[in-house]
Amino acid sequence: MSLQDNFRKAMRSYVYSVSILSNVSENKEYHAITVSSVTSVSIDPPSILVCINKTAGIHDSITMGSKYCINLLTKDHEELSNICSNYEEEKNRFTSDQWDLSDIPFIKNAQANIFCEVDQLIEYHTHTIVIGKVIKSNNADKIKTLTYVDGSYE
């Protein structure tokens, strides 16, 4: 097995929470992508990082100072997660009435919504590391976070 294969296998052993990053571009186009590489950076100031593949449709809409939302999904959002991770479903990402599209698009019934402003963009090979300053955060009372491990939702 190659280094990449062994690394991929090791990473599949991690249990990840599943989120959807959503934003609206300067052209007023809505974007969303399923992400699992989300990590808090600091509590002071509140900040978070997420990694976005440079080939993703949403990539070029994430610019310095732009705003986005990290929507932490519940177990009820598996279908929406699949839609937002499938390139062929891009046109269907915002058809659900679960979305609030009045400003920064967000999922109304998410486990949490973390609204951010892009503070840094760090290019690293195939991905861009996006560091965002948190500007607002909402949380559901009951915790039932959607997780992903070894290629399956849990």
Side-chain angles (χ1 to χ4, degrees):
M1 258 192 187
S2 71
L3 173 61
Q4 287 80 4
D5 290 337
N6 282 331
F7 179 65
R8 185 176 295 109
K9 185 176 180 182
M11 294 307 293
R12 286 177 65 105
S13 300
Y14 278 92
V15 178
Y16 295 98
S17 58
V18 182
S19 298
I20 293 175
L21 185 149
S22 55
N23 73 354
V24 59
S25 70
E26 291 178 3
N27 318 4
K28 305 297 182 210
E29 294 173 336
Y30 293 103
H31 299 276
I33 187 171
T34 300
V35 293
S36 58
S37 57
V38 178
T39 305
S40 65
V41 175
S42 171
I43 197 72
D44 190 20
S47 51
I48 197 164
L49 73 75
V50 60
C51 300
I52 304 294
N53 192 305
K54 291 178 181 178
T55 64
I58 196 171
H59 183 271
D60 292 345
S61 70
I62 301 171
T63 58
M64 285 298 298
S66 66
K67 295 186 170 90
Y68 62 92
C69 183
I70 300 288
N71 301 276
L72 180 60
L73 303 183
T74 69
K75 295 184 184 307
D76 301 327
H77 294 119
E78 188 173 327
E79 181 181 356
L80 190 55
S81 174
N82 286 331
I83 290 170
C84 291
S85 64
N86 182 342
Y87 175 76
E88 293 174 3
E89 291 287 332
E90 207 160 5
K91 65 185 178 307
N92 297 320
R93 293 184 181 175
F94 292 95
T95 58
S96 166
D97 63 357
Q98 297 176 78
W99 289 101
D100 181 318
L101 304 176
S102 60
D103 189 21
I104 302 167
F106 70 95
I107 299 169
K108 295 180 275 191
N109 59 345
Q111 181 68 57
N113 308 103
I114 304 171
F115 297 89
C116 302
E117 180 176 334
V118 175
D119 189 46
Q120 284 189 39
L121 296 169
I122 303 163
E123 292 193 27
Y124 192 79
H125 299 279
T126 58
H127 284 68
T128 297
I129 302 164
V130 180
I131 300 177
K133 284 190 218 174
V134 177
I135 53 178
K136 180 181 173 184
S137 183
N138 303 325
N139 304 284
D141 292 328
K142 185 177 179 188
I143 296 177
K144 55 177 185 172
T145 305
L146 181 63
T147 58
Y148 195 79
V149 63
D150 196 24
S152 300
Y153 292 106
E154 300 224 345

